[in-house]
Short mmCIF file of all heavy atoms in Angstrom, two decimals:
data_model
loop_
_atom_site.label_atom_id
_atom_site.label_comp_id
_atom_site.label_asym_id
_atom_site.label_seq_id
_atom_site.Cartn_x
_atom_site.Cartn_y
_atom_site.Cartn_z
N GLU A 29 117.03 132.64 -2.61
CA GLU A 29 116.13 132.20 -3.67
C GLU A 29 114.91 131.59 -2.99
O GLU A 29 115.06 130.72 -2.12
CB GLU A 29 116.86 131.14 -4.51
CG GLU A 29 116.06 130.60 -5.66
CD GLU A 29 116.42 129.15 -5.94
OE1 GLU A 29 117.58 128.73 -5.67
OE2 GLU A 29 115.54 128.42 -6.40
N CYS A 30 113.72 132.08 -3.33
CA CYS A 30 112.54 131.67 -2.57
C CYS A 30 111.48 130.99 -3.41
O CYS A 30 111.24 131.37 -4.55
CB CYS A 30 111.90 132.86 -1.88
SG CYS A 30 112.95 133.54 -0.60
N ALA A 31 110.83 129.99 -2.83
CA ALA A 31 109.64 129.38 -3.42
C ALA A 31 108.54 129.47 -2.36
O ALA A 31 108.83 129.54 -1.17
CB ALA A 31 109.92 127.94 -3.78
N ILE A 32 107.29 129.48 -2.84
CA ILE A 32 106.17 129.68 -1.92
C ILE A 32 105.12 128.60 -2.10
O ILE A 32 104.84 128.17 -3.23
CB ILE A 32 105.55 131.07 -2.18
CG1 ILE A 32 106.48 132.14 -1.58
CG2 ILE A 32 104.16 131.20 -1.57
CD1 ILE A 32 106.15 133.53 -2.04
N ALA A 33 104.56 128.15 -0.98
CA ALA A 33 103.42 127.23 -1.04
C ALA A 33 102.39 127.71 -0.04
O ALA A 33 102.74 128.35 0.96
CB ALA A 33 103.87 125.81 -0.69
N HIS A 34 101.10 127.43 -0.33
CA HIS A 34 100.04 127.98 0.52
C HIS A 34 99.31 126.94 1.37
O HIS A 34 98.37 127.27 2.07
CB HIS A 34 99.05 128.78 -0.32
CG HIS A 34 99.70 129.97 -0.96
ND1 HIS A 34 100.46 130.85 -0.26
CD2 HIS A 34 99.73 130.37 -2.25
CE1 HIS A 34 100.93 131.78 -1.08
NE2 HIS A 34 100.50 131.50 -2.31
N ASP A 35 99.72 125.70 1.26
CA ASP A 35 99.18 124.69 2.17
C ASP A 35 100.17 123.54 2.27
O ASP A 35 101.16 123.48 1.52
CB ASP A 35 97.80 124.19 1.69
CG ASP A 35 97.86 123.59 0.31
OD1 ASP A 35 98.54 122.54 0.14
OD2 ASP A 35 97.28 124.17 -0.64
N GLY A 36 99.91 122.64 3.20
CA GLY A 36 100.83 121.52 3.46
C GLY A 36 101.00 120.64 2.24
O GLY A 36 102.13 120.25 1.88
N ASP A 37 99.89 120.33 1.57
CA ASP A 37 99.93 119.45 0.41
C ASP A 37 100.87 119.96 -0.68
O ASP A 37 101.73 119.23 -1.18
CB ASP A 37 98.51 119.29 -0.19
CG ASP A 37 97.87 117.99 0.29
OD1 ASP A 37 98.58 117.23 0.98
OD2 ASP A 37 96.69 117.78 -0.03
N SER A 38 100.66 121.23 -1.08
CA SER A 38 101.49 121.73 -2.18
C SER A 38 102.94 121.91 -1.73
O SER A 38 103.87 121.78 -2.54
CB SER A 38 100.90 123.02 -2.77
OG SER A 38 100.76 123.97 -1.77
N ALA A 39 103.15 122.20 -0.42
CA ALA A 39 104.52 122.28 0.08
C ALA A 39 105.22 120.92 -0.06
O ALA A 39 106.37 120.83 -0.50
CB ALA A 39 104.53 122.72 1.53
N ILE A 40 104.49 119.85 0.30
CA ILE A 40 105.07 118.51 0.24
C ILE A 40 105.37 118.13 -1.21
O ILE A 40 106.41 117.51 -1.51
CB ILE A 40 104.13 117.50 0.95
CG1 ILE A 40 104.14 117.79 2.46
CG2 ILE A 40 104.56 116.06 0.69
CD1 ILE A 40 103.01 117.16 3.24
N ALA A 41 104.48 118.56 -2.13
CA ALA A 41 104.72 118.31 -3.55
C ALA A 41 106.00 119.02 -4.02
O ALA A 41 106.83 118.46 -4.73
CB ALA A 41 103.53 118.78 -4.37
N LYS A 42 106.19 120.26 -3.54
CA LYS A 42 107.39 121.01 -3.93
C LYS A 42 108.65 120.35 -3.36
O LYS A 42 109.69 120.31 -4.01
CB LYS A 42 107.30 122.46 -3.43
CG LYS A 42 106.38 123.33 -4.29
CD LYS A 42 106.67 124.80 -4.07
CE LYS A 42 106.17 125.68 -5.20
NZ LYS A 42 104.70 125.75 -5.33
N LEU A 43 108.54 119.84 -2.12
CA LEU A 43 109.69 119.18 -1.50
C LEU A 43 110.07 117.90 -2.26
O LEU A 43 111.23 117.50 -2.27
CB LEU A 43 109.37 118.83 -0.03
CG LEU A 43 109.37 120.02 0.93
CD1 LEU A 43 108.68 119.65 2.24
CD2 LEU A 43 110.80 120.50 1.21
N ALA A 44 109.06 117.26 -2.89
CA ALA A 44 109.33 116.04 -3.66
C ALA A 44 110.07 116.38 -4.96
O ALA A 44 110.87 115.59 -5.47
CB ALA A 44 108.03 115.31 -3.96
N ASP A 45 109.80 117.59 -5.48
CA ASP A 45 110.40 118.05 -6.74
C ASP A 45 111.88 118.39 -6.63
O ASP A 45 112.66 118.11 -7.53
CB ASP A 45 109.69 119.34 -7.20
CG ASP A 45 108.50 119.00 -8.09
OD1 ASP A 45 108.30 117.80 -8.32
OD2 ASP A 45 107.81 119.94 -8.51
N ARG A 46 112.20 119.07 -5.56
CA ARG A 46 113.57 119.57 -5.43
C ARG A 46 113.94 119.76 -3.97
O ARG A 46 113.09 119.69 -3.11
CB ARG A 46 113.69 120.90 -6.18
CG ARG A 46 112.72 121.96 -5.69
CD ARG A 46 113.16 123.35 -6.04
NE ARG A 46 114.37 123.71 -5.32
CZ ARG A 46 114.83 124.95 -5.28
NH1 ARG A 46 114.23 125.93 -5.93
NH2 ARG A 46 115.94 125.23 -4.59
N ARG A 47 115.23 120.02 -3.71
CA ARG A 47 115.60 120.24 -2.32
C ARG A 47 115.75 121.73 -2.03
O ARG A 47 116.03 122.53 -2.92
CB ARG A 47 116.87 119.46 -1.95
CG ARG A 47 118.16 120.00 -2.52
CD ARG A 47 119.36 119.25 -1.97
NE ARG A 47 119.44 119.35 -0.51
CZ ARG A 47 119.89 120.43 0.13
NH1 ARG A 47 120.29 121.49 -0.53
NH2 ARG A 47 119.96 120.44 1.44
N PHE A 48 115.49 122.10 -0.76
CA PHE A 48 115.66 123.48 -0.30
C PHE A 48 116.68 123.48 0.83
O PHE A 48 116.82 122.49 1.55
CB PHE A 48 114.32 124.05 0.20
CG PHE A 48 113.32 124.25 -0.89
CD1 PHE A 48 112.41 123.23 -1.20
CD2 PHE A 48 113.28 125.43 -1.63
CE1 PHE A 48 111.48 123.41 -2.21
CE2 PHE A 48 112.35 125.61 -2.64
CZ PHE A 48 111.45 124.59 -2.94
N ASP A 49 117.38 124.62 0.97
CA ASP A 49 118.35 124.72 2.06
C ASP A 49 117.68 124.97 3.40
O ASP A 49 118.25 124.67 4.45
CB ASP A 49 119.35 125.84 1.77
CG ASP A 49 120.16 125.53 0.52
OD1 ASP A 49 120.51 124.35 0.33
OD2 ASP A 49 120.41 126.46 -0.28
N LEU A 50 116.47 125.57 3.32
CA LEU A 50 115.77 125.88 4.58
C LEU A 50 114.27 125.96 4.28
O LEU A 50 113.88 126.37 3.20
CB LEU A 50 116.29 127.20 5.14
CG LEU A 50 115.76 127.67 6.50
CD1 LEU A 50 116.88 128.37 7.27
CD2 LEU A 50 114.58 128.62 6.35
N VAL A 51 113.46 125.55 5.28
CA VAL A 51 112.01 125.62 5.10
C VAL A 51 111.40 126.41 6.26
O VAL A 51 111.75 126.19 7.42
CB VAL A 51 111.39 124.20 5.05
CG1 VAL A 51 109.86 124.28 4.95
CG2 VAL A 51 111.96 123.41 3.87
#
Side-chain angles (χ1 to χ4, degrees):
Chain A
E29 181 212 332
C30 293
I32 285 167
H34 297 310
D35 59 65
D37 261 355
S38 56
I40 291 164
K42 283 199 160 67
L43 285 164
D45 270 359
R46 57 159 292 191
R47 73 174 300 282
F48 292 92
D49 296 321
L50 184 144
V51 176

